[in-house]
Amino acid sequence: MTRRHLAVCGVAALIGLLMAGCTAAHASSAPATSAWHPAHDTAYGAAGAPSPSTTTTHRPGGSPTRSPSTDPSTPASPSASNSPSGSPSASPALEGKGLQLAMDKTADGSVALTFDDGPSEYTPQILAVLKQYNVKATFCLVGVNVKDHHDLVQQIVAAGHTLCNHSWKHDEHLGDKSPDAIRQDLQMTNDEIHKAVPDAPIKYFRHPAGNFTPAAVQVAQSLGMTPLGWNADPRDWDLTANKPGAPFTAKIANYVRTHVHAGTIVLSHDSGGDRSSTIAAYKQVIPALKQKYTLAALPTS
Ligand SMILES: [Zn+2]
Protein backbone atom coordinates (compact mmCIF):
# COMPACT_ATOMS: atom_id res chain seq x y z
CA MET A 1 0.00 0.00 0.00
CA THR A 2 1.28 3.35 -0.81
CA ARG A 3 1.02 6.34 1.32
CA ARG A 4 0.48 9.94 0.78
CA HIS A 5 0.00 13.12 2.50
CA LEU A 6 -2.76 15.59 1.97
CA ALA A 7 -2.01 19.13 2.87
CA VAL A 8 -5.12 20.46 4.41
CA CYS A 9 -5.74 23.87 5.82
CA GLY A 10 -8.32 21.99 7.73
CA VAL A 11 -11.15 23.17 9.80
CA ALA A 12 -9.46 21.68 12.79
CA ALA A 13 -12.41 21.78 15.05
CA LEU A 14 -10.85 19.24 17.31
CA ILE A 15 -7.62 21.07 17.64
CA GLY A 16 -8.91 23.16 20.42
CA LEU A 17 -9.70 20.00 22.24
CA LEU A 18 -6.42 18.41 21.40
CA MET A 19 -3.95 21.02 22.37
CA ALA A 20 -3.77 23.93 24.64
CA GLY A 21 -2.84 27.13 23.00
CA CYS A 22 -3.85 26.14 19.55
CA THR A 23 -6.16 28.79 18.34
CA ALA A 24 -9.33 28.57 16.36
CA ALA A 25 -9.67 26.43 13.37
CA HIS A 26 -7.87 27.59 10.33
CA ALA A 27 -10.44 27.51 7.64
CA SER A 28 -9.17 28.25 4.22
CA SER A 29 -9.62 27.38 0.67
CA ALA A 30 -7.66 24.24 1.17
CA PRO A 31 -5.35 24.08 -1.79
CA ALA A 32 -5.93 20.39 -2.04
CA THR A 33 -2.29 19.83 -2.52
CA SER A 34 -2.79 16.18 -2.27
CA ALA A 35 0.57 14.79 -1.72
CA TRP A 36 2.24 11.51 -1.85
CA HIS A 37 4.34 10.73 1.05
CA PRO A 38 7.69 9.13 0.37
CA ALA A 39 6.95 5.52 0.03
CA HIS A 40 9.28 3.56 2.15
CA ASP A 41 7.44 1.33 4.47
CA THR A 42 8.99 -1.70 2.96
CA ALA A 43 12.32 -0.79 4.28
CA TYR A 44 11.02 -0.44 7.74
CA GLY A 45 10.31 -4.08 8.24
CA ALA A 46 12.84 -4.29 11.00
CA ALA A 47 12.84 -7.00 13.55
CA GLY A 48 10.20 -6.27 16.08
CA ALA A 49 8.30 -4.07 13.73
CA PRO A 50 4.60 -4.47 14.34
CA SER A 51 3.55 -5.37 10.86
CA PRO A 52 6.14 -6.14 8.20
CA SER A 53 3.33 -7.05 5.87
CA THR A 54 2.39 -3.43 5.55
CA THR A 55 5.71 -2.57 4.02
CA THR A 56 5.53 -2.29 0.32
CA THR A 57 7.18 0.33 -1.75
CA HIS A 58 10.42 2.14 -1.76
CA ARG A 59 11.35 4.70 -4.29
CA PRO A 60 14.59 4.59 -6.22
CA GLY A 61 17.32 6.43 -4.52
CA GLY A 62 15.71 5.82 -1.20
CA SER A 63 17.45 6.68 1.95
CA PRO A 64 20.80 5.01 2.28
CA THR A 65 19.76 4.19 5.80
CA ARG A 66 17.64 1.56 4.22
CA SER A 67 19.99 0.49 1.51
CA PRO A 68 20.47 -3.22 1.00
CA SER A 69 23.99 -2.95 2.26
CA THR A 70 22.97 -1.56 5.59
CA ASP A 71 19.51 -2.83 6.16
CA PRO A 72 18.70 -6.43 5.33
CA SER A 73 15.04 -5.63 5.58
CA THR A 74 15.28 -3.32 2.63
CA PRO A 75 14.05 -4.54 -0.72
CA ALA A 76 16.97 -5.95 -2.61
CA SER A 77 16.03 -4.35 -5.86
CA PRO A 78 15.09 -0.79 -6.63
CA SER A 79 12.37 -2.27 -8.73
CA ALA A 80 10.51 -2.85 -5.51
CA SER A 81 10.22 0.87 -5.31
CA ASN A 82 8.15 1.04 -8.38
CA SER A 83 5.57 -1.50 -7.53
CA PRO A 84 2.12 -0.69 -8.82
CA SER A 85 1.07 0.09 -5.30
CA GLY A 86 3.46 3.00 -5.46
CA SER A 87 1.49 4.65 -8.18
CA PRO A 88 0.10 8.02 -7.25
CA SER A 89 -3.14 6.89 -8.76
CA ALA A 90 -3.70 4.31 -6.10
CA SER A 91 -6.06 4.59 -3.20
CA PRO A 92 -6.91 8.26 -3.31
CA ALA A 93 -9.37 7.65 -0.51
CA LEU A 94 -6.46 7.32 1.85
CA GLU A 95 -5.03 10.71 1.15
CA GLY A 96 -4.53 12.64 4.31
CA LYS A 97 -7.10 10.60 6.10
CA GLY A 98 -7.53 12.06 9.52
CA LEU A 99 -5.18 14.96 9.02
CA GLN A 100 -7.90 17.31 10.21
CA LEU A 101 -7.52 15.77 13.63
CA ALA A 102 -4.06 17.20 14.01
CA MET A 103 -2.53 20.54 14.84
CA ASP A 104 -2.26 22.44 11.58
CA LYS A 105 -0.83 25.77 12.61
CA THR A 106 1.45 27.08 15.27
CA ALA A 107 -0.05 28.69 18.32
CA ASP A 108 2.13 31.78 18.27
CA GLY A 109 2.26 32.66 14.62
CA SER A 110 5.78 31.43 14.12
CA VAL A 111 6.60 29.32 11.09
CA ALA A 112 7.52 25.73 11.83
CA LEU A 113 9.74 23.86 9.41
CA THR A 114 9.31 20.14 9.91
CA PHE A 115 11.47 17.39 8.49
CA ASP A 116 10.10 13.87 8.37
CA ASP A 117 11.23 10.29 8.00
CA GLY A 118 14.82 10.55 9.17
CA PRO A 119 17.33 10.53 10.41
CA SER A 120 19.32 9.72 7.32
CA GLU A 121 22.59 10.70 5.72
CA TYR A 122 20.86 13.88 4.55
CA THR A 123 20.05 14.99 8.06
CA PRO A 124 23.49 16.53 8.72
CA GLN A 125 23.06 18.69 5.62
CA ILE A 126 19.69 19.89 6.80
CA LEU A 127 21.19 20.59 10.20
CA ALA A 128 24.00 22.55 8.58
CA VAL A 129 21.60 24.77 6.66
CA LEU A 130 19.53 25.41 9.76
CA LYS A 131 22.66 26.21 11.72
CA GLN A 132 23.90 28.55 9.03
CA TYR A 133 20.78 30.66 9.39
CA ASN A 134 20.29 30.05 13.09
CA VAL A 135 16.92 28.43 12.58
CA LYS A 136 15.35 25.83 14.85
CA ALA A 137 13.05 23.23 13.35
CA THR A 138 11.18 20.05 14.20
CA PHE A 139 12.22 16.55 13.17
CA CYS A 140 9.67 13.75 12.93
CA LEU A 141 11.70 10.61 13.42
CA VAL A 142 11.04 7.07 12.26
CA GLY A 143 12.04 4.45 14.80
CA VAL A 144 13.98 2.13 12.57
CA ASN A 145 16.03 5.05 11.29
CA VAL A 146 16.63 6.26 14.81
CA LYS A 147 17.94 2.81 15.59
CA ASP A 148 20.55 3.20 12.86
CA HIS A 149 21.45 6.80 13.67
CA HIS A 150 21.58 7.51 17.36
CA ASP A 151 24.38 9.95 16.63
CA LEU A 152 22.17 12.01 14.37
CA VAL A 153 19.39 12.12 16.93
CA GLN A 154 21.94 13.42 19.38
CA GLN A 155 23.01 16.08 16.89
CA ILE A 156 19.41 17.14 16.32
CA VAL A 157 18.78 17.53 20.02
CA ALA A 158 22.12 19.20 20.69
CA ALA A 159 21.29 21.80 18.06
CA GLY A 160 18.09 22.72 19.85
CA HIS A 161 15.56 21.26 17.48
CA THR A 162 12.30 19.64 18.55
CA LEU A 163 11.61 15.94 18.22
CA CYS A 164 8.44 14.32 16.94
CA ASN A 165 7.49 10.66 16.84
CA HIS A 166 6.71 9.51 13.29
CA SER A 167 6.06 5.86 14.20
CA TRP A 168 8.37 2.89 14.25
CA LYS A 169 8.40 1.99 10.59
CA HIS A 170 6.16 4.49 8.90
CA ASP A 171 3.10 2.29 8.84
CA GLU A 172 0.46 4.43 7.21
CA HIS A 173 -2.24 2.19 8.57
CA LEU A 174 -1.03 2.23 12.13
CA GLY A 175 -4.01 4.26 13.25
CA ASP A 176 -6.38 1.54 12.12
CA LYS A 177 -4.84 -0.97 14.49
CA SER A 178 -5.83 -1.61 18.05
CA PRO A 179 -4.99 0.99 20.66
CA ASP A 180 -2.57 -1.48 22.21
CA ALA A 181 -0.78 -1.98 18.90
CA ILE A 182 -0.60 1.75 18.31
CA ARG A 183 0.72 2.31 21.78
CA GLN A 184 3.35 -0.37 21.34
CA ASP A 185 4.54 1.23 18.13
CA LEU A 186 4.73 4.75 19.49
CA GLN A 187 6.29 3.66 22.74
CA MET A 188 8.90 1.58 20.94
CA THR A 189 9.79 4.62 18.85
CA ASN A 190 10.07 6.88 21.86
CA ASP A 191 12.14 4.28 23.67
CA GLU A 192 14.55 4.09 20.75
CA ILE A 193 14.87 7.86 20.67
CA HIS A 194 15.55 7.83 24.37
CA LYS A 195 18.31 5.27 23.91
CA ALA A 196 20.04 7.98 21.91
CA VAL A 197 19.07 10.91 24.11
CA PRO A 198 17.61 9.70 27.41
CA ASP A 199 15.92 12.90 28.45
CA ALA A 200 14.84 14.22 25.10
CA PRO A 201 11.29 15.57 25.15
CA ILE A 202 9.04 14.04 22.49
CA LYS A 203 5.93 16.15 22.56
CA TYR A 204 4.56 15.51 19.08
CA PHE A 205 3.35 12.61 17.03
CA ARG A 206 2.84 12.83 13.30
CA HIS A 207 1.00 9.88 11.86
CA PRO A 208 2.56 8.60 8.66
CA ALA A 209 0.81 10.20 5.70
CA GLY A 210 -1.30 12.23 8.08
CA ASN A 211 -3.64 9.30 8.52
CA PHE A 212 -4.67 10.18 12.03
CA THR A 213 -7.51 8.23 13.56
CA PRO A 214 -9.30 8.91 16.82
CA ALA A 215 -7.48 5.93 18.31
CA ALA A 216 -4.09 7.19 17.18
CA VAL A 217 -4.85 10.64 18.50
CA GLN A 218 -5.98 9.28 21.83
CA VAL A 219 -2.94 7.05 22.25
CA ALA A 220 -0.54 9.81 21.25
CA GLN A 221 -2.11 12.16 23.75
CA SER A 222 -2.00 9.56 26.48
CA LEU A 223 1.73 9.37 25.85
CA GLY A 224 2.02 13.12 26.17
CA MET A 225 2.25 13.88 22.47
CA THR A 226 0.27 16.38 20.43
CA PRO A 227 -0.90 15.14 17.02
CA LEU A 228 1.05 17.18 14.51
CA GLY A 229 -0.20 17.93 11.03
CA TRP A 230 0.87 20.57 8.52
CA ASN A 231 -0.67 23.15 6.25
CA ALA A 232 1.98 23.54 3.59
CA ASP A 233 3.37 20.68 1.56
CA PRO A 234 5.97 21.56 -1.07
CA ARG A 235 5.90 17.93 -2.20
CA ASP A 236 9.60 17.58 -1.80
CA TRP A 237 9.05 13.86 -1.41
CA ASP A 238 7.76 13.50 -4.95
CA LEU A 239 10.67 11.96 -6.75
CA THR A 240 8.35 10.31 -9.21
CA ALA A 241 7.23 13.56 -10.78
CA ASN A 242 10.54 15.32 -10.18
CA LYS A 243 14.21 14.57 -10.54
CA PRO A 244 16.73 16.03 -8.13
CA GLY A 245 18.19 19.19 -9.56
CA ALA A 246 17.73 22.90 -10.06
CA PRO A 247 14.17 22.79 -11.41
CA PHE A 248 12.96 20.68 -8.51
CA THR A 249 14.83 22.89 -6.09
CA ALA A 250 13.19 25.96 -7.56
CA LYS A 251 9.79 24.28 -7.41
CA ILE A 252 10.15 23.47 -3.73
CA ALA A 253 11.56 26.88 -2.87
CA ASN A 254 8.85 28.70 -4.79
CA TYR A 255 6.13 26.72 -3.10
CA VAL A 256 7.50 27.47 0.33
CA ARG A 257 8.05 31.10 -0.54
CA THR A 258 4.45 31.52 -1.68
CA HIS A 259 2.60 29.30 0.78
CA VAL A 260 4.18 30.22 4.07
CA HIS A 261 2.24 32.62 6.26
CA ALA A 262 2.20 33.34 9.95
CA GLY A 263 1.53 30.09 11.74
CA THR A 264 2.34 27.78 8.84
CA ILE A 265 3.65 24.32 9.53
CA VAL A 266 5.68 23.20 6.53
CA LEU A 267 6.07 19.54 5.66
CA SER A 268 9.46 18.52 4.29
CA HIS A 269 11.70 15.50 4.44
CA ASP A 270 15.22 14.61 5.39
CA SER A 271 14.89 10.99 4.35
CA GLY A 272 12.98 8.75 1.98
CA GLY A 273 15.00 9.49 -1.12
CA ASP A 274 17.44 11.97 -2.61
CA ARG A 275 16.91 15.07 -0.51
CA SER A 276 19.43 17.27 -2.26
CA SER A 277 16.70 19.44 -3.75
CA THR A 278 15.09 19.93 -0.37
CA ILE A 279 18.40 20.99 1.08
CA ALA A 280 19.16 23.36 -1.77
CA ALA A 281 15.67 24.82 -1.64
CA TYR A 282 15.93 25.73 2.01
CA LYS A 283 19.31 27.30 1.43
CA GLN A 284 17.54 29.59 -1.00
CA VAL A 285 14.36 30.29 0.82
CA ILE A 286 15.22 30.52 4.50
CA PRO A 287 16.83 33.96 4.28
CA ALA A 288 13.69 35.33 2.63
CA LEU A 289 11.42 33.68 5.17
CA LYS A 290 13.45 35.10 8.00
CA GLN A 291 12.81 38.57 6.66
CA LYS A 292 9.11 38.17 7.34
CA TYR A 293 8.62 35.44 9.92
CA THR A 294 10.00 33.87 13.02
CA LEU A 295 11.12 30.37 12.18
CA ALA A 296 10.92 28.29 15.30
CA ALA A 297 10.97 24.78 16.59
CA LEU A 298 7.63 23.67 17.98
CA PRO A 299 7.52 24.19 21.72
CA THR A 300 8.28 21.31 24.04
CA SER A 301 6.77 22.76 27.16
ZN1 LIG B 1 6.58 10.42 6.73
Side-chain angles (χ1 to χ4, degrees), residues 5 37-38 40 116-117 140 142 166 170 206-209 267 269:
H5 279 149
H37 193 277
H40 49 220
D116 286 17
D117 300 351
C140 296
V142 170
H166 198 36
H170 211 274
R206 176 173 280 164
H207 196 292
L267 174 70
H269 297 82

Side-chain angles (χ1 to χ4, degrees), residues 116-194:
D116 286 17
D117 300 351
S120 82
E121 69 167 10
Y122 293 98
T123 305
Q125 298 176 66
I126 294 285
L127 290 173
V129 173
L130 296 173
K131 182 179 180 181
Q132 179 181 356
Y133 296 111
N134 191 30
V135 168
K136 306 303 182 190
T138 299
F139 287 80
C140 296
L141 307 179
V142 170
V144 292
N145 286 342
V146 170
K147 189 175 182 180
D148 289 340
H149 295 290
H150 282 189
D151 57 330
L152 296 179
V153 178
Q154 291 160 0
Q155 289 180 37
I156 291 169
V157 174
H161 304 295
T162 289
L163 300 185
C164 166
N165 181 326
H166 198 36
S167 83
W168 179 252
K169 61 180 184 70
H170 211 274
D171 177 2
E172 294 191 3
H173 303 285
L174 177 63
D176 294 326
K177 295 182 177 178
S178 71
D180 283 348
I182 297 170
R183 181 178 300 276
Q184 179 184 11
D185 185 291
L186 301 194
Q187 188 64 58
M188 184 161 59
T189 303
N190 283 353
D191 289 347
E192 192 65 37
I193 292 171
H194 284 146

